[in-house]
């Protein structure tokens, strides 16, 4: 049972959830916002754990427990989501927006949480190539929308999971091409991991700053759920990492 407890992952998911509730306010707003943000919180934490694991990829003995710990954020986020859904009722109603300081306070709490928990691994989590690819794709989507005469940022932000998967696919392809050279696998996987991690981070910040966006998602037609695909990318990254380490041996 104690194997399912990782204090760092638990604190990250817990304080990130508090940040969302603080940003959204009380009543039905916080429930809707939390349910929209929890998948992104879990995926960001999971991929951040993979980055930390990759920084010690040349120590095969620590790989299995590191993989287990990397999965903890998505587990804790799922548990919190299950509890929120179980405790909610049909009488929960979205309320009028509360104090304007709430979104900024939520962002401050979330950024403070990331800084405190991942401070020692900040250098490993800074992946310029992945950030550049995400920025280019995001700017391309914005430009295409403006060119077509639309100006709705929420539509572009709904494409963030797709942008992350596209960047992740590029990284995985590069890693597979260089699978025979273990030293080249790490940088290629970093692009794959960083693409999904950064898009999840942007999505969380967007949900914190614009709580009403979560309510629009709740009342709109169902969108494509990219979470299973991003989890599959995590598994493929682990597999490539294991193969690279086995070649070192």
């Amino acid at each position: 049972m104690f194997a399912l407890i990782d204090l760092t992952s638990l604190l990250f998911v817990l304080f990130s959830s508090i940040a969302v509730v603080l940003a959204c306010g009380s009543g039905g707003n916080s429930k809707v916002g939390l349910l929209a943000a929890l998948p992104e919180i879990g995926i960001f934490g999971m991929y951040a754990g993979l980055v930390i694991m990759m920084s010690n990829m040349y120590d095969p003995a620590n790989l299995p427990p590191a993989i287990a710990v990397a999965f903890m954020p998505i587990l804790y986020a799922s548990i919190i989501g299950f509890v929120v859904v179980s405790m909610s009722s049909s009488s929960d109603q979205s309320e009028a927006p509360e104090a304007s300081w709430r979104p900024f306070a939520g962002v401050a709490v979330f950024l403070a949480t990331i800084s405190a928990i991942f401070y020692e691994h900040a250098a490993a989590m800074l992946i310029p190539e992945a950030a550049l690819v995400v920025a280019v794709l995001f700017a391309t989507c914005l430009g295409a929308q403006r060119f077509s005469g639309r100006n709705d940022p929420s539509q572009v932000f709904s494409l963030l999971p797709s942008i992350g998967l596209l960047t992740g696919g590029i990284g995985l392809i590069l890693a597979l091409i260089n699978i025979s050279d273990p030293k080249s696998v790490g940088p290629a996987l970093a692009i794959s991991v960083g693409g999904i991690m950064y898009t999840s981070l942007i999505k969380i910040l967007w949900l914190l700053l614009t709580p009403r966006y979560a309510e629009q998602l709740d009342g709109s037609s169902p969108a494509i759920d990219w979470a299973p695909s991003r989890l599959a990318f995590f598994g493929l990254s682990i597999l490539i990492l294991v193969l690279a380490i086995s070649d070192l041996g």
Side-chain angles (χ1 to χ4, degrees):
M1 182 66 181
F2 290 104
L4 296 177
I5 299 177
D6 178 61
L7 183 59
T8 301
S9 300
L10 181 60
L11 289 176
F12 167 71
V13 175
L14 182 60
F15 278 96
S16 297
S17 301
I18 291 174
V20 175
V21 173
L22 179 61
C24 294
S26 60
N29 296 346
S30 60
K31 185 197 77 172
V32 173
L34 191 57
L35 290 179
L38 277 172
E40 303 300 331
I41 292 172
I43 287 173
F44 174 82
M46 185 174 66
Y47 275 86
L50 180 56
V51 168
I52 296 171
M53 181 175 61
M54 287 172 59
S55 64
N56 299 304
M57 66 175 291
Y58 296 111
D59 187 4
N62 291 330
L63 190 58
I67 294 174
V69 171
F71 272 105
M72 291 301 180
I74 200 72
L75 172 65
Y76 295 145
S78 299
I79 292 174
I80 293 176
F82 177 78
V83 172
V84 170
V85 172
S86 299
M87 295 180 63
S88 62
S89 64
S90 57
S91 61
D92 291 337
Q93 299 291 332
S94 297
E95 301 176 359
E98 299 187 21
S100 58
W101 56 265
R102 281 186 171 275
F104 298 102
V107 169
V109 171
F110 178 68
L111 293 179
T113 299
I114 293 179
S115 300
I117 292 179
F118 300 111
Y119 173 77
E120 296 181 357
H121 308 281
M125 295 177 67
L126 181 60
I127 308 168
E129 297 86 352
L132 178 61
V133 174
V134 170
V136 169
L137 292 175
F138 188 76
T140 301
C141 292
L142 280 176
Q145 189 182 64
R146 288 183 178 275
F147 182 77
S148 62
R150 297 191 301 271
N151 187 22
D152 185 5
S154 64
Q155 294 297 321
V156 178
F157 277 92
S158 67
L159 294 174
L160 280 171
S162 304
I163 293 174
L165 286 174
L166 183 56
T167 308
I170 294 172
L172 285 182
I173 291 173
L174 293 174
L176 288 171
I177 291 175
N178 298 286
I179 191 67
S180 59
D181 182 11
K183 293 184 178 180
S184 299
V185 170
L189 278 180
I191 297 175
S192 175
V193 170
I196 297 179
M197 183 175 66
Y198 291 154
T199 51
S200 292
L201 176 62
I202 296 172
K203 190 70 174 289
I204 294 170
L205 292 174
W206 172 254
L207 289 170
L208 288 172
L209 288 171
T210 57
R212 282 295 183 185
Y213 177 62
E215 296 177 33
Q216 294 172 9
L217 291 177
D218 184 59
S220 61
S221 57
I224 298 175
D225 183 7
W226 291 112
S229 298
R230 288 184 284 180
L231 289 173
F233 265 72
F234 184 86
L236 287 173
S237 300
I238 292 293
L239 177 60
I240 295 174
L241 191 62
V242 171
L243 291 175
I245 291 177
S246 64
D247 287 342
L248 287 175

